[in-house]
Each structure stands twice: as C-alpha cells, then as structure tokens.
Amino acid sequence: MFCTGGIRCERATSYLLNKGFENVYHLKGGILNYLKEIPEKKSTWEGECYVFDERVAVDQNLRVGSYSKCRACRRPLSEEGKKDANYEEGVSCGRCFGEYTEKQKERFRKRHAMIAAAETQGRKHLGSSARPPSEMKRRKKEWQALVVTKPNQGDEEKRADSETETETGRIRSHQKQDQARSQTKRLETAATADDVKGDQV
C-alpha cells in the first residue's frame, strides 16, 4: 500500500490491522520519500506523482512536473487536457465542464480576470476554492472510509465508555430533577408564608 506522503496509507494500514488482516504493508514515508531515497536508476516509479499543493505533480527528482491544475474543479490537467474543446483557462476542463452552471462559470471568468490582472501588476491573488459539490461529497466519503477506531480499544472498552457516558447522563438528569424539586419546595414554602401573613392581617 502506498500514498503520496505516507499518512493515508499509515491510517489505512492501521484500519486493516484492526479488522484482522495480517499481511499488511505500506511504503514508509510514502511515494515522496521513495523518490527522495531511491536513485532514479534503481527506481521502479514511472511518471509523475500528484501532490496536494500548487506544484500539482513532481517528477522522479522531486522537481515540479508537467501538470497544471484546473482552477474550477482542482483536478490535475495535462497539456493534452488543455486541448479539449471544453477547456477554458480558469473556468473549466473536459472533466468538469458539465458540473457547473453558467452563473458559476461567469464567476470563475471574473476570478480568472482578477488573477490575470494581479499577475500583470506583480501582485499575488489568493482567489477562492471552487470545488463542485460532487467533489466535496466524494472527498468526505473517502475520509469517512479511513476513520480508524482508537488503537487497542476493544469492544469491552467501547461498551464501558458508552455505559459511563450513559451513567453520567443519568446523574446529570437526577441532579436537574433534584434542583427542580428544591425550587418547587421553595416556591411552595414562600406561597404558604404569604398565605399565613394574609390570614394574620
């Protein structure tokens, strides 16, 4: 098992081991560490490696690769992808063209124009992220699939934790009931005292 920097595969390895799998291995430090440590002549890696920053991809020597990023969907974009009929710089690529409304695309065009203006003036433009809802749902599912239970926490411990939380809830509930009873008694005592005063007058 391997991933870019080694974090996701460590989590996935832990998850699989917790599920009872025994022969689970992962590339320590991920692909980036492999590219750093293994000389190019001995490396079995082919192509470029996607990274989660503005470099988009790196080559065998960890130099910036040939891919750029679609500014609408944030997916990697090759030079071949830029030749697609639906590619519009800063607005869409062939993969995300149908995922946005015309109103959204118009907003992307304005953003792209602002970025271009900032570049000509030598300023940095931060822009805004523009992931489609489908991309956000996909990412959320991927992360949920990697959620790992606490290490060394068996079913008995989970049950004990659950029972403790339930008992704590019961205690708080009883405390609130006691406070309500005390408040009611104080009000009844005050009302009785007022009645007695009224009778004396």
Side-chain angles (χ1 to χ4, degrees), residues 22-115:
E22 293 177 4
N23 295 320
V24 181
Y25 305 94
H26 73 266
L27 186 60
K28 188 173 182 181
I31 300 162
L32 296 179
N33 190 54
Y34 176 84
L35 296 177
K36 180 181 174 185
E37 298 295 325
I38 306 299
E40 190 171 357
K41 289 181 180 178
K42 292 183 178 180
S43 175
T44 58
W45 181 260
E46 294 178 14
E48 297 177 9
C49 176
Y50 178 80
V51 289
F52 301 92
D53 56 39
E54 288 301 310
R55 295 175 296 169
V56 185
V58 293
D59 65 14
Q60 176 70 44
N61 298 303
L62 298 177
R63 291 182 301 236
V64 176
S66 61
Y67 285 79
S68 60
K69 187 184 293 185
C70 172
R71 293 296 167 185
C73 68
R74 306 284 194 209
R75 293 180 183 119
L77 189 60
S78 67
E79 290 302 315
E80 190 64 31
K82 291 179 182 179
K83 296 174 185 173
D84 189 286
N86 291 318
Y87 171 70
E88 183 180 345
E89 188 177 1
V91 179
S92 67
C93 67
R95 289 179 285 182
C96 73
F97 180 77
E99 296 178 7
Y100 298 103
T101 64
E102 280 306 314
K103 188 174 181 179
Q104 288 173 309
K105 289 177 187 175
E106 190 53 41
R107 195 177 81 226
F108 299 161
R109 286 183 189 100
K110 287 179 183 176
R111 178 189 62 198
H112 185 65
M114 290 169 63
I115 292 169

Side-chain angles (χ1 to χ4, degrees), residues 4-30:
T4 307
I7 297 168
R8 289 172 297 159
C9 56
E10 278 193 23
R11 291 183 72 188
T13 300
S14 176
Y15 176 79
L16 291 171
L17 290 170
N18 283 335
K19 289 292 183 183
F21 291 89
E22 293 177 4
N23 295 320
V24 181
Y25 305 94
H26 73 266
L27 186 60
K28 188 173 182 181

Side-chain angles (χ1 to χ4, degrees), residues 128-151:
S128 63
S129 69
R131 291 192 180 105
S134 61
E135 172 75 355
M136 297 304 286
K137 285 180 185 175
R138 182 185 63 77
R139 285 175 176 233
K140 186 175 181 181
K141 283 181 184 176
E142 286 175 357
W143 278 105
Q144 287 172 339
L146 289 176
V147 172
V148 181
T149 56
K150 293 178 186 175

